[in-house]
Amino acid sequence: MPQPQHIIESLNILNDSSKPLDQINGGIIHLVSRSDLFGLLTSLSILLDSQVLSQPQSLSLCYVLSKHSPITSNPFFKVLRKEYLKADGFEKNFIATLFVNCCPSEKSISEILANNKLPSTSFDLDSLTTEYQKNVPYDIPSVQPLFSDPDDSTNRERDIAKIFETPLPGPIVPPQNTPAPLLLMPGHDELTFLIPEIDFSPLFDPTQISAETLTLLKRAVTERLNDDDKDQLMELLEEENIAKFFAPQQIESLIENNKDIAIEVLKKVINSENEKAYVDTLSSIEPKLNVISTVKELLLKSSNVFSSFTQKVIDFSIKEKEPNKRYIRCVTDYLETYVRVNPKLSEPVYQSIVNFCGKFSTIKEVSNLYKLLMK
């Protein structure tokens, strides 16, 4: 799509009536990339049709449009034809030379205007139009209303019958003179190059990861990794943004199999736009020992988002009929860290911790937690 700056620069080039027409054409062509040239010329042709260009600009632009491709397959043939039909005198003769390709391209517009003399031309515009229509046969039909104006007193039955009598326009095929489609998006692990004639620098698509890394991520969720694989994955987590490739629903399995990896992944996603999905997942799973110890590592990074998880851990501990002392000590250790990093606890969480301390007051660590809470 042409930028406004390109259009301004094009108009400046067209306005220089002292340059030969070939040089003006070259300046326009090299102003933008090849894929953007059609859009730029289309924008300029709209200005031409709006009659906002000066005479040198209009004549120079007509020359540039005629050089886009052979005249009978030129996408701007209709533009030139329209300009020819509404022009008169010298301008009409100038455009006529474009149809028969005998315009003095080595001269400038000012020289041509000063001489006021152009090669004699003889051509049949209707024949050129017919040949153009053969080369570009697909014209999308204009849409005509099936029903008449409601204010017009027409026969309703006639309008309804008109629906069934109106033939369909047939398959609408895009014109042959449309610009080329964009390139496909880069595939998996594909290197995307810039325009070869300008730069050979490769660009890597940052949204993709290698197949080897993807396999390693899947293994981390389903099995315990050896030390070498763990180190490799840790390095990738530090260097590249691959934490997003672990889905929230995979966190529980990741904690079970590779707790260290899970901690690093969660540290990456906490305080990010996807934080809520992972925190909600942690709050929904059963608060096992390794889950509690994992969340404990995250409290220093962001403790205020784990209030619901803390509440669930306490409720789960209190409801256990035969509490496991090892589990209670783990919960106590977590709550102690939570209290230290949250000087101002919310009332529900504070009351839940008090109830927890009351139920397990015989355990020494719980008594220390209560003392910390009362400070």
Side-chain angles (χ1 to χ4, degrees), residues 27 31 76 87-88 98 103 126 129 177 206 211 216 255 289 296 319 322 330 342 350 353:
L31 191 60
F76 301 103
D88 55 10
L98 302 180
C103 179
D126 293 336
T129 304
N177 57 3
L216 188 59
I255 293 174
L289 290 174
K296 178 191 170 185
K319 290 178 182 178
E322 297 181 1
C330 178
N342 282 285
Y350 176 84
I353 297 177

Side-chain angles (χ1 to χ4, degrees), residues 157-173:
E157 285 73 20
R158 187 201 67 187
D159 283 336
I160 294 175
K162 188 178 178 182
I163 296 177
F164 300 98
E165 294 173 0
T166 303
L168 294 176
I172 298 178
V173 183

Side-chain angles (χ1 to χ4, degrees), residues 294-325:
T294 298
V295 177
K296 178 191 170 185
E297 298 293 329
L298 306 175
L299 291 178
L300 293 177
K301 189 170 181 67
S302 180
S303 59
N304 54 346
V305 298
F306 293 108
S307 57
S308 59
F309 175 82
T310 303
Q311 188 74 50
K312 180 172 182 176
V313 169
I314 296 173
D315 294 342
F316 185 83
S317 303
I318 293 176
K319 290 178 182 178
E320 284 292 303
K321 294 181 179 179
E322 297 181 1
N324 186 324
K325 288 188 177 182

